[in-house]
Amino acid sequence: MISRVFQNSDDQLDDTAAQPEEYISPAPRVSVQAFCASVAVAAAVRAASEDRRLGKAHLTAHMGGITAAIETYHKAPTPNVILIESDPESDILEGLDELATVCDAGTRVVVIGNAKDFTPYRELVRRGVSDYITAPVAPIDVVRAICGLYAASEEVAVGRIVAVVGAKGGVGASTVAHNVAWAIARDLALDSVVIDLDLAFGTASLDYNQDPVQGIANAVFQPERPDSAFMERLLAKCSDRLNLLAAPATLDQVYDFGADAFDAIFDTMRMTTPCVVLDVPHQWSAWTKRTLVGADDILIVAEPDLANMRNAKNMLNVLKAARPNDRPPLYCLNQVGMHKRPEISVREFAKAIESQPIAAIPFDSKLFGTAANNGQMIAQISSRHRTTQMFLQIAQRMTGHAVTKRSRTPSFLAPIIRKLQGTTARRA
């Protein structure tokens, strides 16, 4: 059965409001076979197979359309998903009826139609077709169709992963990551987890004034795949909606990891957490590259100097090429306007990068130093400071969510004020 903005005399940043970005949750480990009637659709399917969201799925493309599919499944079991491109020369409904006779229970079918296809959608649904898309199709259309089949399933990861990394060491990427995560949890009301991936020198526990006994090391060195219950025990609570998976920040062992060392941890956290913020250390290794490429959104933090400009440009180019169907990585400038330090202007930096930064965070040694020494976020030191607003705007851009208004605690004068207002109203 088929079943706000920093501005000085010569620089101005992009003031684009946060717009909801399309979010496509990754597909689980499923097998997908496509039977194409045209070379163009086959090329789109093969390109889609390289997309990060189909990294766990096994997607193959074959020619021959529905006829070839029927012949194949007379002799072989059907996969989890079948993509069929309709052929203008044949009746798709008759083909689907025949395909149903050789399909295993639970197999899902997606039909790729064409401009000349006038088959009523309800007839396709009646035959158990799970989705219908019209050619010409781009690789992202194929990705969306496959991932959409499992988006509502409880077994599929639904959390959004935001990776923050510095273009150079010491640029304050961790500080930005931690403050943005605080804004996501407090102002956007999204349950969030910060994962400190700098196991040797991580600062998240200091910034959040936490001293957890366990953390990310317990998960990554566990021989078995970590489940949700195990991960829950490792989290340190920072606020009502924000938890921390801290780094040990010790040097008693060497932290060398394979490319897929953190995959199971990220997959598990996606299952239970709407937003996961990754504090990625400044290094270029197999696992850091895989982490960045696999994230839903990327923020690169840079200072306004030549080395940062070069590194940020290189990182943007590599990540764009590795994620052709995703929104390009975003970047922000940090520690802008440091006293007596020669800097590249925001305008010149953006010209070289060929895109505008989403924020230019001004240098304020007293504000950031106080926050760091107290184990507090900038919003806790000064909730109305412009830097606090910048972190909120970054959070909105990264997640596409608007600010959730928090209820105010009633003033102790409220009953008296209401009584006076009532007396005034009666006299009127």
Side-chain angles (χ1 to χ4, degrees), residues 197 220 256-264 266 285-294:
L197 294 174
V220 74
D256 290 332
F257 302 111
D260 58 353
F262 295 93
D263 286 3
F266 298 158
S285 60
W287 75 265
T288 52
K289 181 180 179 181
R290 184 180 178 91
T291 297
L292 293 172
V293 172

Side-chain angles (χ1 to χ4, degrees), residues 117-138:
D117 206 344
F118 297 103
T119 304
Y121 180 69
R122 62 176 178 272
E123 292 296 331
L124 296 173
V125 173
R126 187 176 299 168
R127 284 164 172 78
V129 170
S130 300
D131 197 5
Y132 178 86
I133 52 180
T134 306
V137 295

Side-chain angles (χ1 to χ4, degrees), residues 287-305:
W287 75 265
T288 52
K289 181 180 179 181
R290 184 180 178 91
T291 297
L292 293 172
V293 172
D296 297 299
D297 293 283
I298 305 169
L299 177 65
I300 298 172
V301 182
E303 287 185 358
D305 62 28

Side-chain angles (χ1 to χ4, degrees), residues 88 114 137 139 144 146 148 177 183 185 189 204 241 257 259 284-285 293 323 338 342 358 362 400:
N114 57 77
V137 295
R144 187 186 296 109
I146 297 172
R241 292 185 175 273
F257 302 111
W284 197 248
S285 60
V293 172
R323 299 154 48 90
M338 185 181 293
I358 63 171

Side-chain angles (χ1 to χ4, degrees), residues 44-45 48 54 59 83 112 133 137-147:
V45 170
L54 297 181
L59 173 59
L83 270 65
I112 302 175
I133 52 180
V137 295
I140 189 62
D141 298 320
V142 177
V143 173
R144 187 186 296 109
I146 297 172
C147 294

Side-chain angles (χ1 to χ4, degrees), residues 321-332:
R323 299 154 48 90
N325 302 314
D326 285 88
R327 174 171 70 168
L330 304 175
Y331 78 97
C332 72

Side-chain angles (χ1 to χ4, degrees), residues 166-173 282-283 301 303 308 311:
K168 190 171 176 285
V171 299
H282 174 72
Q283 57 179 275
V301 182
E303 287 185 358
N308 275 274
N311 294 354

